[in-house]
Amino acid sequence: MDFLDIDIILSILTIIGIDLVLGGDNAIVIALASRNLPPEQRNKAIFWGTGLAIGIRVLLTAVALYLLQIPFLKLVGGLLLIYIAIHLLTDDDDGPDIAAKDNLLSAIKTIVFADIVMGFDNVLAIAGASGGHIVLVMIGLLFSVPIIIWGSKIILHFMERFPVLVYIGAGILAYTASEMILGEERLEPFFEQFHILHYLLPVITILFVIIVGYSIDQNKVKRVN
């Protein structure tokens, strides 16, 4: 493989671009999942969670064509992402008896799981751009992942200063979930028949996640008081 070949260079740049464009949601998940950890453990959660997610994403890219054969893959992924958004929104560290290690592992598992769920479109797009060359995928990730991690730290900083951003982040994940569901090829005839769902489903999903998350938070506050 000639890395000075213009087609190879363009493929790498395309992969980096895909990672960065589709990596915004990943940065939000990383920030949400690690926001309740002690400062000294946040970098560990970000490092290990992102590192494991990268490894799994490379493996998924290698079998991307087989992923397309899984029935209702995007529908299930969208529903799982709705659950993740609500979980991240209500995952308050209000239990003083919970060991820090458990919180760290929980954050890492959430980052990895969410990355897998949200990574379907990313994996398929990268598989196409790489022409089946896993080496190109890994090179693209090496360039883009540090930027995503850096972005997650910026988002985390602002979430601490402006707690409302937590709800905005969950809303963005909810919107991503609705787009995954709308992108399910096996449901395309149904969504085409009821075209208004392309506009209603994102709104309904966002409101559902925020309302459910807010209600759970309020119930927690009542139990504490």
Side-chain angles (χ1 to χ4, degrees):
M1 184 182 298
D2 184 6
F3 289 101
L4 296 180
D5 184 272
I6 186 64
D7 291 332
I8 298 297
I9 295 175
L10 288 176
S11 294
I12 294 175
L13 292 176
T14 301
I15 293 171
I16 294 174
I18 292 171
D19 279 323
L20 294 180
V21 170
L22 300 180
D25 293 335
N26 299 82
I28 291 172
V29 167
I30 293 171
L32 286 172
S34 59
R35 75 184 191 277
N36 291 322
L37 292 175
E40 64 274 9
Q41 292 198 351
R42 288 177 182 172
N43 287 337
K44 292 182 181 179
I46 292 172
F47 175 79
W48 286 108
T50 305
L52 291 172
I54 290 171
I56 294 173
R57 181 169 295 193
V58 172
L59 293 176
L60 290 177
T61 304
V63 295
L65 295 179
Y66 295 99
L67 292 177
L68 289 173
Q69 301 175 10
I70 302 177
F72 300 105
L73 178 67
K74 290 186 178 180
L75 173 63
V76 174
L79 295 176
L80 286 174
L81 190 53
I82 290 174
Y83 167 77
I84 291 172
I86 294 175
H87 173 71
L88 290 174
L89 196 58
T90 59
D91 187 23
D92 294 323
D93 189 19
D94 53 5
D97 57 331
I98 299 177
K101 179 180 177 182
D102 294 334
N103 287 335
L104 176 60
L105 292 176
S106 177
I108 292 174
K109 288 188 292 184
T110 299
I111 292 171
V112 173
F113 185 59
D115 185 85
I116 293 173
V117 171
M118 294 190 304
F120 296 144
D121 290 338
N122 194 323
V123 165
L124 296 176
I126 289 176
S130 67
H133 297 294
I134 298 301
V135 175
L136 297 184
V137 175
M138 297 178 69
I139 292 174
L141 287 171
L142 286 175
F143 280 98
S144 57
V145 167
I147 300 176
I148 295 174
I149 293 176
W150 180 67
S152 69
K153 291 185 178 181
I154 294 177
I155 294 172
L156 182 58
H157 170 73
F158 282 104
M159 280 183 176
E160 290 180 330
R161 296 189 61 185
F162 308 102
V164 69
L165 291 179
V166 173
Y167 283 89
I168 295 176
I172 293 174
L173 297 185
Y175 175 79
T176 303
S178 69
E179 289 297 302
M180 289 181 64
I181 295 172
L182 290 170
E184 174 56 59
E185 288 81 359
R186 290 170 176 80
L187 295 178
E188 186 175 349
F190 174 77
F191 290 129
E192 287 301 319
Q193 183 178 359
F194 300 97
H195 194 70
I196 193 172
L197 287 175
H198 286 273
Y199 305 100
L200 285 180
L201 188 60
V203 175
I204 293 173
T205 306
I206 292 171
L207 290 176
F208 174 78
V209 167
I210 292 177
I211 291 173
V212 171
Y214 180 79
S215 299
I216 294 175
D217 273 344
Q218 291 303 304
N219 288 334
K220 285 184 177 180
V221 171
K222 291 180 181 178
R223 287 200 300 269
V224 172
N225 295 334

